[in-house]
Amino acid sequence: MKTLAKLPVTIVTGFLGSGKTTLLRHMLDNAQGRRIAVIVNEFGELGIDGEILKQCSIGCSEEEANGRVYELANGCLCCTVQEEFFPVMRELVARRGDLDHILIETSGLALPKPLVQAFQWPEIRNACTVDAVITVVDSPAVAAGTFAAYPDQVDAQRKLDPNLDHESALHELFADQLASADLVVLNKADLIDAEGLAKVRAEVAEELPPAVKVIEASSGRLPLEVLLGVGAESEAHIDGRRTHHDSHHDGDEHDDHDHDAFDSISIDLPEADESLLLDALTQLVTEFGILRAKGFAAIPGKPMRLLIQGVGTRFDKHFDRAWRSDEARITRLVLIGQDLDAVQLQARLRKALGA
């Protein structure tokens, strides 16, 4: 019986809206026969990204797809990695003869370092290796100085005093995502000019360990040969990567999580007029600084559900599949932001929809 080689694992990290799910979808669409398991860890209770991934044309039935897409319920990987991640990995390790690769999408606010360190645990280390940590960067957001796609609050603070950049929790999270990277994807490169892209590249380089490759992409479209087979063996050197969130950093006695301030709320609504819903969401995003809106809507008279993904005030929408006969035609949204009041937001949306 041949000894099984270590199963390569690629960890995809990056802020909300940077394009991680799009990159994963591209990788699955172009798997070329590779047998890939996916672990989705979304900052939100509903795991809507998992819904999106399950529609990928990865050449298997829905039942098989469900067996290949694992969702961890609580988005904060650094807090729940031991509780939820380990049983999923144990199951995948048991099936590793059936797999060629594992992809893990972290939540937009999770730190990659503790996850990579989990691959030092004997039961995982003997069976798996981290092929690469890929950090996806929202190039236009970095060019605008906001790092993630909600410019108003962060940019206002930044403009008051440019020296505050490193005091920003967001900037620290951004730096930590880069500090753990083996490959950096400057995504949405088509949305900024050459000068802006050069500025982003220079800013990113400041945070990177030497020898980390930086590549540009639009909508995550990159050859799999570039993304997979990096062979970084990240778990072997992750302890040497210094991040802002190391517990011993600068003698900081409180190692609290900067991202505790982020809320993820789920709202269920009845059928909704498409334009009314999008207008109302745009208004709420502007008023409450909502970072991300995602979910699906039931549009009166339409047999298919409308999938909605919003970053800041940019909304993408498309009809993704027909409503099944056994499911309720409802509108379900996840809103992510800081200090969000679920009751107030639900009331505002219902009023706007006349519900």
Side-chain angles (χ1 to χ4, degrees):
M1 182 176 160
K2 72 179 178 73
T3 306
L4 287 170
K6 284 190 180 182
L7 186 60
V9 178
T10 297
I11 297 168
V12 181
T13 187
F15 274 134
L16 300 162
S18 60
K20 300 187 304 296
T21 302
T22 306
L23 178 72
L24 258 72
R25 182 190 290 160
H26 169 77
M27 292 165 85
L28 293 172
D29 280 345
N30 295 278
Q32 295 161 332
R34 293 179 181 89
R35 296 162 304 167
I36 299 175
V38 185
I39 301 176
V40 185
N41 192 306
E42 183 47 48
F43 186 73
E45 296 151 17
L46 292 180
I48 284 171
D49 282 2
E51 285 261 347
I52 295 166
L53 282 166
K54 283 171 191 166
Q55 299 154 30
C56 290
S57 52
I58 51 180
C60 58
S61 69
E62 191 170 342
E63 289 72 29
E64 289 173 313
N66 286 340
R68 293 167 71 169
V69 180
Y70 296 84
E71 291 175 52
L72 306 184
N74 181 343
C76 174
L77 261 177
C78 46
C79 305
T80 63
V81 66
Q82 205 152 355
E83 299 152 31
E84 298 190 62
F85 170 75
F86 194 62
V88 174
M89 282 303 298
R90 182 181 280 148
E91 186 179 337
L92 290 177
V93 163
R95 293 177 51 189
R96 80 182 198 267
D98 302 326
L99 298 171
D100 298 314
H101 209 97
I102 298 173
L103 295 177
I104 301 175
E105 179 191 3
T106 70
S107 83
L109 300 167
L111 305 172
K113 185 171 179 176
L115 177 58
V116 178
Q117 287 171 321
F119 283 85
Q120 298 168 345
W121 300 343
E123 198 169 338
I124 299 181
R125 186 182 66 219
N126 295 334
C128 300
T129 181
V130 179
D131 184 57
V133 175
I134 299 177
T135 298
V136 183
V137 171
D138 186 328
S139 300
V142 175
T146 60
F147 308 107
Y150 56 111
D152 301 349
Q153 301 158 329
V154 184
D155 214 30
Q157 181 187 10
R158 195 183 68 86
K159 282 174 180 163
L160 284 172
D161 182 356
N163 298 319
L164 284 179
D165 265 4
H166 284 273
E167 299 301 313
S168 154
L170 258 188
H171 189 282
E172 288 191 359
L173 280 166
F174 178 71
D176 285 359
Q177 288 176 351
L178 291 171
S180 304
D182 301 299
L183 178 67
V184 176
V185 176
L186 301 184
N187 206 21
K188 308 182 188 176
D190 54 327
L191 300 183
I192 56 175
D193 60 20
E195 186 184 345
L197 200 55
K199 176 184 161 193
V200 171
R201 188 178 274 273
E203 181 153 2
V204 163
E206 283 178 25
E207 307 286 354
L208 286 177
V212 172
K213 280 195 299 187
V214 179
I215 50 177
E216 297 162 14
S218 304
S219 302
R221 288 191 298 271
L222 289 164
L224 255 63
E225 291 67 32
V226 172
L227 299 168
L228 303 182
V230 177
E233 202 182 349
S234 315
E235 69 277 10
H237 53 78
I238 190 67
D239 293 341
R241 301 277 187 101
R242 292 298 304 277
T243 73
H244 293 280
H245 290 76
D246 291 341
S247 54
H248 56 271
H249 179 67
D250 291 340
D252 188 1
E253 71 285 352
H254 62 283
D255 187 29
D256 57 351
H257 296 329
D258 286 327
H259 55 278
D260 281 353
F262 289 85
D263 298 317
S264 174
I265 63 170
S266 171
I267 293 176
D268 281 4
L269 298 162
E271 290 193 351
D273 177 84
E274 183 180 334
S275 59
L276 283 179
L277 178 62
L278 289 170
D279 286 350
L281 280 173
T282 303
Q283 172 66 34
L284 293 179
V285 163
T286 307
E287 192 175 332
F288 294 97
I290 293 167
L291 327 182
R292 182 98 181 256
K294 55 202 292 186
F296 48 81
I299 310 297
K302 299 286 187 184
M304 299 184 76
R305 69 176 198 176
L306 185 71
L307 200 67
I308 298 169
Q309 294 207 75
V311 178
T313 52
R314 296 198 309 267
F315 285 93
D316 292 324
K317 56 187 173 57
H318 67 274
F319 288 102
D320 70 321
R321 65 165 174 80
W323 289 98
R324 293 194 297 267
S325 57
D326 61 344
E327 63 184 341
R329 285 178 57 100
I330 61 166
T331 297
R332 175 166 289 170
L333 301 168
V334 171
L335 304 178
I336 300 170
Q338 291 178 294
D339 302 319
L340 299 182
D341 182 330
V343 174
Q344 181 186 24
L345 290 169
Q346 176 134 2
R348 287 283 297 273
L349 282 167
R350 283 187 168 274
K351 184 178 178 186
L353 298 171

